[in-house]
Amino acid sequence: MATMTSAAPSRSVARVERRRRLGPLGVLTHLALVIWTLLVLVPLLWTFLASVKSEDEIFGSAWSLPETLRWDNFARAWEQAHIGQYMINSVIVVSFSTFGTMLVGSMAAYVLARYPFRGNRTIYTLFVAGLAFPFFLALSPLFFVVQNMGNVPLIGQFIGLNTHAGAVLVYIAYSMPFTIFFLAAFFRTLPTSVGEAAMVDGASHTRVFFQIMMPMAKPGIISITIFNILGQWNQYQIPLILLQDRDKWVLSQGIADISTAAGYDADWAALFAALTLAILPMLVVYTVFQRQIQSGLTAGALK
């Protein structure tokens, strides 16, 4: 009993000490984070709840639990609205575009960060300037560029409009500025002695990069990979102008089509089921790799 009695005051003293250490600004910061968490979680929970309700229950009592779980909403979204095909298309496009972005972006960032040459700073600045360029201004020129790519001999039919390869190339170009900006800063923090020792032993620049520098930059590479996956999975404007054939659509286009149809057919339950199917993969990815993301950002900041 004495131990339990002494433990309780120690915990209260620790809480008081923590509050005093945080100060007013720290308390406001924590309060803002709690509010932000609620703003993110509440719509997600409501979407998941609505995905297993009937339409009468959705518009009747928004937060009430469903009488029965309507799993047929998911079947209707998967089969009748072709969400399954759109999800497969999204997985294909995002997988290839993320791989291409990380391969090309990491090599470019490594060269810009570790090899001084004339024009290095100019090239890096041009890449970073892409972060400030409004993407909407490039939609019309982008359409004609990809359309002209379709006229290239031999490979034009594979990289033009209404092709997944064409969308992949645009996704890579779209994601390149932030990838290079993030990874170049990370590569600058890595020690040079290990790479120099490997080159003295006869290793080529390529071998130094792939076998030494990339493993050392693993936290940063994992972090930016997850960010690219999330951004490309949720992309809507690029596929909207490049993928016009319905069988080539990605998930964001399919959900937009269901949303439009729901205004006339009133199949809101299938819409929320489709939204749930689109959210869950990214939620799982972020949940599984959240420690790697945090360690990557922290490592970059501490170094």
Side-chain angles (χ1 to χ4, degrees), residues 44-286:
L44 287 177
L45 292 176
W46 191 85
T47 301
F48 296 157
L49 187 63
S51 67
V52 292
K53 284 184 173 184
S54 65
E55 292 175 9
D56 293 336
E57 290 173 333
I58 292 174
F59 292 101
S61 181
W63 286 103
S64 64
L65 295 176
E67 294 182 3
T68 59
L69 299 179
R70 308 275 182 163
W71 299 113
D72 58 305
N73 296 338
F74 291 90
R76 207 161 55 249
W78 187 270
E79 296 175 0
Q80 298 180 13
H82 308 292
I83 288 297
Q85 181 61 47
Y86 301 149
M87 182 173 289
I88 293 174
N89 292 341
S90 289
V91 170
I92 293 172
V93 172
V94 172
S95 298
F96 281 100
S97 60
T98 302
F99 175 78
T101 299
M102 296 311 302
L103 179 64
V104 178
S106 60
M107 290 191 294
Y110 175 71
V111 171
L112 292 173
R114 307 301 291 263
Y115 291 88
F117 58 89
R118 182 176 298 179
N120 179 304
R121 199 64 188 173
T122 302
I123 296 174
Y124 176 77
T125 303
L126 290 175
F127 273 116
V128 175
L131 294 172
F133 185 81
F135 179 72
F136 296 99
L137 295 180
L139 290 179
S140 295
L142 182 63
F143 174 84
F144 291 107
V145 168
V146 178
Q147 186 181 51
N148 292 332
M149 286 168 55
N151 299 325
V152 176
L154 300 178
I155 63 172
Q157 58 180 331
F158 303 108
I159 61 174
L161 291 176
N162 296 316
T163 62
H164 288 154
V168 166
L169 293 176
V170 176
Y171 274 37
I172 292 174
Y174 167 78
S175 305
M176 200 60 64
F178 180 66
T179 301
I180 291 178
F181 171 74
F182 186 93
L183 289 180
F186 201 92
F187 278 123
R188 290 193 189 100
T189 63
L190 299 180
T192 59
S193 56
V194 179
E196 291 174 351
M199 296 188 69
V200 169
D201 291 338
S204 63
H205 293 281
T206 304
R207 186 175 180 183
V208 169
F209 172 71
F210 283 105
Q211 295 188 359
I212 297 177
M213 290 303 173
M214 281 196 73
M216 292 175 64
K218 182 179 177 181
I221 290 176
I222 292 177
S223 298
I224 195 63
T225 298
I226 301 302
F227 282 124
N228 281 328
I229 291 175
L230 294 175
Q232 294 174 5
W233 182 268
N234 296 321
Q235 182 57 241
Y236 177 67
Q237 291 87 2
I238 292 177
L240 181 65
I241 64 172
L242 299 182
L243 304 175
Q244 299 170 357
D245 291 345
R246 183 177 288 268
D247 60 338
K248 300 289 186 179
W249 281 5
V250 295
L251 194 55
S252 57
Q253 291 174 283
I255 291 177
D257 183 66
I258 297 175
S259 177
T260 304
Y264 301 98
D265 299 338
D267 195 359
W268 293 95
L271 171 62
F272 288 116
L275 286 172
T276 301
L277 291 172
I279 293 170
L280 283 178
M282 295 301 99
L283 195 60
V284 170
V285 168
Y286 186 81

